[in-house]
Amino acid sequence: MSEPADKPAFDTLAIRAGTMTSNFQEHSEALFLTSSFTYKTAAEAARKFANEEPGYLYSRFTNPTVSMFQDRLAALEGAEDCVATATGMAAIASTVLGLLKSGDHLIASRSVFGTVVPLFDQIARKFGIDTTWVTGADLDQWRAAVRPNTRMLFCESPSNPLGEVCDIAALAEISRKLGAILVVDNCLLTPALQRPLEFGADLVIHSATKYLDGQGRVLAGAVCGAKTLVEPVYGFVRTAGPALSPFNAWICLKGMETLRLRMEAHSRQALALAEWLAGQPNVRAVHYPGLPGHPQHALAMQQAPMQGAVVSFEVEGGRDGAWRVIDAVKMISITANLGDTRTTITHPATTTHARITQAERDASGVADGLVRVAVGLEDLQDICADLSAGLRGA
Ligand SMILES: *Cc1c(COP(=O)(O)O)cnc(C)c1O
């Protein structure tokens, strides 16, 4: 204990950062299920509403349990500030609507969470914010898409479901020259494996619904970065209202305590499953950035020591072949969600990516024969056995 505790290590922060204790001196973080807070006098209320005195007013603005979640996640991402949101999509929408305005231009990697496409192309466009979609791994496409009014670059790395990797440091360089904001969705790796701010990203987005909870219980989201950028996003959340419920914040707070252990175990299982899949009959291709044959393997390993739980593979027979593999599972859960101790399986082309057009799916490589597995923490032998029935018959 000779070192001063000014920069505790990741596991210590995951367990203790952000903890606030009430007068009861509870050991575990308290769940403050209250919509509002009271004042001893009218004058105290006035001071707090005027921001002359710190304190809690209303849980759409702030709540102690939500504050603890924000502070803990900020510590893990190495961010100055964090604002929590009701869902991951609320985090993305609040970032775009809180920081951009009509006439601004956005460049985004095509291989993003499916719902981001209608958010940018339909909703943001309605407010005069135009998006150009590029292949995330192709830096020339990012450069070619730049316009004088480009204000934001948005990517997901690695992406879901194909594990496409973006060069965060190179994008940060492009973004900095433009005076734009680089936003990275870090949902699939979490700060336990990848901290985009260290590579020069300006904001990190989370769907905490996935690995921060880690057990498939709640929806939650967050935006982390410098105070000057998080403040306008917070302003949007506080006013428009997609705030995080204290209950969901509390679930995620407790989930984060085991984050590194879980992410390492997920990653070890996923790599072993990807290697196993590559040798199976009827498998045309396996997409996992942790495999040496992945096109951005070297870059992926520079940005994160392990590559998370999401593995996708293409089987013979297009949609019917993929559906046969999925329908043959007995243990694995058929669900579009991921980020769970339970292994999940889905057919991206007809679920997570069904709302985009065939042309958009072709452009982003989501083939009809593609199956996505988010590897859980059950015994790997049991996971492989469950998949092998469908693969032999595919
Ligand atoms: C699930 C997900 C989202 C959206 O999060 P919700 O909590 O479902 O709104 C965004 N990005 C990625 C990478 C996701 O997997």
Side-chain angles (χ1 to χ4, degrees):
M1 295 301 289
S2 55
E3 289 288 306
D6 58 344
K7 183 98 181 54
F10 187 90
D11 286 344
T12 306
L13 295 172
I15 291 167
R16 294 188 177 269
T19 304
M20 291 190 285
T21 307
S22 79
N23 289 339
F24 292 116
Q25 295 185 266
E26 67 279 0
H27 187 210
S28 178
E29 300 83 349
L31 169 51
F32 290 93
L33 276 184
T34 179
S35 46
S36 71
F37 299 82
T38 58
Y39 318 99
K40 294 207 169 59
T41 62
E44 183 195 345
R47 285 194 305 275
K48 286 188 169 158
F49 271 85
N51 246 336
E52 291 163 10
E53 189 177 306
Y56 291 93
L57 306 173
Y58 188 54
S59 287
R60 172 155 44 77
F61 305 168
T62 40
N63 170 284
T65 310
V66 175
S67 299
M68 288 191 267
F69 166 74
Q70 293 173 156
D71 291 349
R72 184 166 298 172
L73 185 56
L76 297 187
E77 286 288 3
E80 188 184 6
D81 203 1
C82 171
V83 58
T85 54
T87 65
M89 285 313 303
I92 300 172
S94 303
T95 298
V96 169
L97 297 174
L99 288 164
L100 300 185
K101 62 182 191 313
S102 176
D104 286 349
H105 176 240
L106 170 60
I107 310 175
S109 61
R110 210 174 261 120
S111 202
V112 289
F113 184 69
T115 315
V116 176
V117 177
L119 173 69
F120 288 1
D121 272 351
Q122 292 162 32
I123 297 174
R125 184 149 292 157
K126 218 168 57 173
F127 295 97
I129 299 160
D130 264 342
T131 302
T132 303
W133 299 96
V134 296
T135 300
D138 185 346
L139 289 171
D140 288 338
Q141 287 193 26
W142 289 92
R143 290 190 193 101
V146 167
R147 297 182 195 166
N149 58 338
T150 302
R151 288 288 165 269
M152 187 177 284
L153 276 59
F154 181 94
C155 74
E156 187 185 315
S157 187
S159 71
N160 164 22
L162 290 167
E164 184 188 17
V165 180
C166 296
D167 187 334
I168 301 170
L171 291 180
E173 179 81 33
I174 295 171
S175 181
R176 204 174 311 116
K177 281 191 190 136
L178 296 170
I181 300 163
L182 174 62
V183 183
V184 178
D185 185 332
N186 198 28
C187 177
L188 262 61
L189 292 184
T190 80
L193 300 177
Q194 172 174 274
R195 286 177 290 281
L197 300 178
E198 291 177 0
F199 295 98
D202 298 299
L203 288 174
V204 173
I205 298 266
H206 276 285
S207 167
T209 311
K210 312 297 166 48
Y211 296 98
L212 298 186
D213 167 8
Q215 287 145 84
R217 298 164 293 192
V218 298
L219 295 156
V223 183
C224 305
K227 210 173 190 57
T228 49
L229 293 176
V230 172
E231 200 62 43
V233 181
Y234 168 66
F236 180 87
V237 173
R238 174 186 167 121
T239 306
L244 181 60
S245 132
F247 180 81
N248 292 7
W250 180 78
I251 291 282
C252 293
L253 260 175
K254 302 313 284 178
M256 280 150 78
E257 296 184 7
T258 54
L259 184 62
R260 189 184 58 80
L261 292 171
R262 284 186 290 105
M263 292 314 293
E264 290 184 3
H266 277 294
S267 301
R268 273 194 303 275
Q269 301 247 87
L271 179 59
L273 182 78
E275 286 166 346
W276 177 84
L277 279 167
Q280 293 305 300
N282 294 314
V283 173
R284 277 191 178 178
V286 181
H287 306 281
Y288 185 63
L291 287 177
H294 185 279
Q296 291 112 38
H297 174 69
L299 173 62
M301 300 307 290
Q302 273 169 33
Q303 294 183 163
M306 301 173 94
Q307 299 300 322
V310 176
V311 177
S312 66
F313 56 100
E314 201 182 330
V315 297
E316 301 291 348
R319 191 193 83 167
D320 293 346
W323 281 20
R324 261 197 303 276
V325 172
I326 293 168
D327 289 346
V329 300
K330 294 201 164 61
M331 173 193 76
I332 297 173
S333 312
I334 304 176
T335 173
N337 196 24
L338 58 89
D340 202 303
T341 52
R342 297 170 185 220
T343 300
T344 64
I345 192 165
T346 194
H347 181 235
T350 51
T351 60
T352 54
H353 291 65
R355 284 176 68 189
I356 63 175
T357 64
Q358 181 75 46
E360 286 167 333
R361 275 197 297 278
D362 291 344
S364 55
V366 178
D368 285 346
L370 194 76
V371 176
R372 185 197 77 196
V373 173
V375 186
L377 302 180
E378 306 97 333
D379 188 279
L380 185 65
Q381 302 289 330
D382 293 330
I383 299 170
C384 293
D386 206 21
L387 287 169
S388 91
L391 284 171
R392 281 196 306 269

